[in-house]
């Protein structure tokens, strides 16, 4: 299983951008748009935000998400989640003409 942080951030960024461009879940988009993180932001906070985006009905449990990454031979990392959030925020800025 791999967890190369040099690869995980760009993968997350691209996934976040693609999700934002395809999403019609305004609540989740707004949650990510207004989210700010700092050195104290925990993995669990990032995972909860990610889960809200990919599973708006709340059907999945966290283990389902982690197992999905493991099935692809990867680990879900903070770097991926940071990239996902940054990708969503970049897509929002671009859509609003702010970038």
């Amino acid at each position: 299983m791999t967890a190369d942080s040099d690869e995980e951030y760009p993968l997350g960024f691209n996934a976040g951008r693609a999700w934002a461009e395809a999403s019609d879940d305004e609540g989740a988009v707004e949650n990510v748009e207004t989210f700010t993180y700092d050195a104290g932001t925990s993995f669990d906070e990032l995972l909860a935000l990610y889960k809200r985006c990919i599973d708006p009905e709340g059907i999945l449990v966290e283990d389902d998400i982690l197992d999905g990454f493991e099935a692809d031979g990867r680990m879900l990392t903070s770097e991926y989640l940071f990239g996902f959030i940054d990708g969503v925020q970049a897509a929002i800025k671009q859509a609003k003409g702010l970038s």
Side-chain angles (χ1 to χ4, degrees):
M1 209 170 343
T2 64
D4 184 352
S5 63
D6 290 340
E7 293 177 11
E8 291 302 308
Y9 181 88
L11 289 172
F13 187 91
N14 292 335
R17 180 178 279 286
W19 175 84
E21 290 170 354
S23 180
D24 60 357
D25 186 344
E26 292 180 24
V29 170
E30 185 176 309
N31 284 347
V32 177
E33 181 180 20
T34 60
F35 184 79
T36 56
Y37 51 82
D38 58 30
T41 302
S42 72
F43 179 82
D44 289 337
E45 290 174 280
L46 297 171
L47 182 56
L49 185 62
Y50 176 72
K51 183 179 177 212
R52 169 63 178 89
C53 292
I54 66 164
D55 182 32
E57 284 87 34
I59 297 169
L60 297 175
V61 295
E62 291 175 4
D63 283 345
D64 293 333
I65 297 167
L66 298 174
D67 289 348
F69 274 79
E70 288 176 10
D72 288 339
R74 298 176 36 228
M75 289 179 10
L76 179 60
T77 64
S78 295
E79 289 83 4
Y80 180 90
L81 296 173
F82 283 128
F84 183 87
I85 292 166
D86 287 347
V88 172
Q89 290 176 342
I92 293 167
K93 286 179 184 172
Q94 184 177 13
K96 291 182 174 183
L98 301 175
S99 62

